[in-house]
């Protein structure tokens, strides 16, 4: 069971006691570390920093805290999300909470549907986990919050697309797959993505790269293995190319020698332990032993 920091109890919750039952619903999985009232774009909101307990961090890959926004309005409006974007860029949230996901508790009975429609159009890089306040107060099951996070993060959408999308303008309907992949990156897990041709795999990889870099989750090295500049390399030459890319993006000054395998290990070991990087291989079959056109 999580704890509420005494400053939150003695200051914020004493001033806004109506929020206590809502906050108690987050106690199974989170500590309540900080809270304040904020106003932006004509919108007033209570802002909390939730620090995940260990089992929540391990389950969902939370490396940082998670922001919680409570709005007491009968309708949900775009300016509330403008306020959230601004507040997430301010201290103390900046650097302390996950930049890609947050909770929003609202009093709009149609709010969840409105938010789904809104994010399908605006395609924000920060994903809201929307919860209707009345539903939260009715919930007594300790698993409900975890189920809500899983539902909002991992449920897959059916989609169809024909061309790779290299920006966010027309990217939609794939958010669940992207977030599941980014969660694996947070946990430092290898993943593979398989599918028929022209089903959107490359578009997803581009989106993963953009979101990782924009939200500072990881630095990404992307290789199009179908490109002759990659597929014509031998395994050793490709490893040297990868090592060089990593040295460049992290400004590593380790000297390299005649052993590319040792060079790779030394360069990776020299990276700040707080940093994450991700290597994406698109069309990886072209550099596998299965390739019929490039036996090298």
């Amino acid at each position: 069971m999580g704890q509420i920091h005494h400053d939150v109890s003695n200051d914020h919750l004493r001033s806004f006691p109506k929020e206590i039952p809502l906050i108690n619903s987050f106690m199974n999985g989170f500590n309540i570390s900080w809270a304040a009232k904020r106003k932006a774009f004509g919108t007033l909101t209570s802002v909390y920093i939730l620090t995940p307990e260990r089992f929540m961090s391990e389950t969902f890959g939370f490396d940082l805290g998670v922001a919680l926004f409570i709005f007491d309005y009968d309708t949900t409006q775009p300016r509330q999300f403008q306020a959230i974007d601004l507040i997430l860029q301010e201290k103390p949230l900046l650097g302390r909470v996950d930049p890609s996901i947050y909770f929003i508790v609202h009093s709009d009975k149609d709010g969840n549907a409105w938010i789904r429609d809104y994010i399908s159009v605006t395609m924000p890089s920060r994903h809201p986990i929307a919860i209707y306040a009345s539903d939260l107060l009715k919930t007594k099951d300790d698993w409900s919050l975890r189920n809500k996070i899983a539902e909002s993060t991992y449920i897959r959408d059916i989609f169809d697309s024909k061309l790779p999308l290299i920006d966010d303008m027309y990217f939609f309907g794939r958010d669940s797959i992207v977030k599941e992949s980014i969660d694996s990156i947070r946990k430092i897990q290898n993943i593979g993505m398989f599918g028929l041709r022209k089903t959107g795999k490359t578009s997803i990889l581009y989106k993963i790269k953009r979101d990782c870099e924009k939200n500072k989750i990881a630095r990404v090295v992307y290789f199009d293995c179908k490109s002759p500049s990659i597929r014509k390399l031998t395994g050793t030459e490709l490893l040297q190319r990868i090592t060089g890319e990593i040295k460049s993006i992290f400004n590593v000054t380790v000297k390299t020698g005649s052993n590319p395998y040792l060079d790779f290990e030394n360069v990776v070991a020299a990276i700040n332990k707080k940093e994450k990087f991700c290597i994406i291989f698109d069309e990886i079959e072209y550099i596998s032993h299965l390739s019929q056109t490039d036996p090298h």
Side-chain angles (χ1 to χ4, degrees), residues 56 60 62 103 129 145-153:
M56 292 293 278
F60 297 105
F62 294 138
F103 293 105
I129 300 177
L145 182 61
R146 276 169 271 181
N147 291 339
K148 183 65 178 178
I149 298 173
E151 174 188 338
S152 300
T153 307

Side-chain angles (χ1 to χ4, degrees), residues 225-234 283-296:
C225 300
K226 187 168 61 176
S227 169
S229 64
I230 299 299
R231 58 186 274 203
K232 293 301 182 182
L233 299 176
T234 65
E283 308 280 5
I284 196 171
E285 64 271 19
Y286 281 90
I287 62 169
S288 77
H289 66 284
L290 301 175
S291 174
Q292 301 297 315
T293 55
D294 300 300
H296 63 282

Side-chain angles (χ1 to χ4, degrees), residues 104-122:
I104 175 172
V105 174
H106 59 86
S107 301
D108 178 4
K109 60 182 177 62
D110 300 317
N112 285 357
W114 189 97
I115 291 170
R116 281 196 299 269
D117 292 341
Y118 178 77
I119 63 177
S120 72
V121 174
T122 59

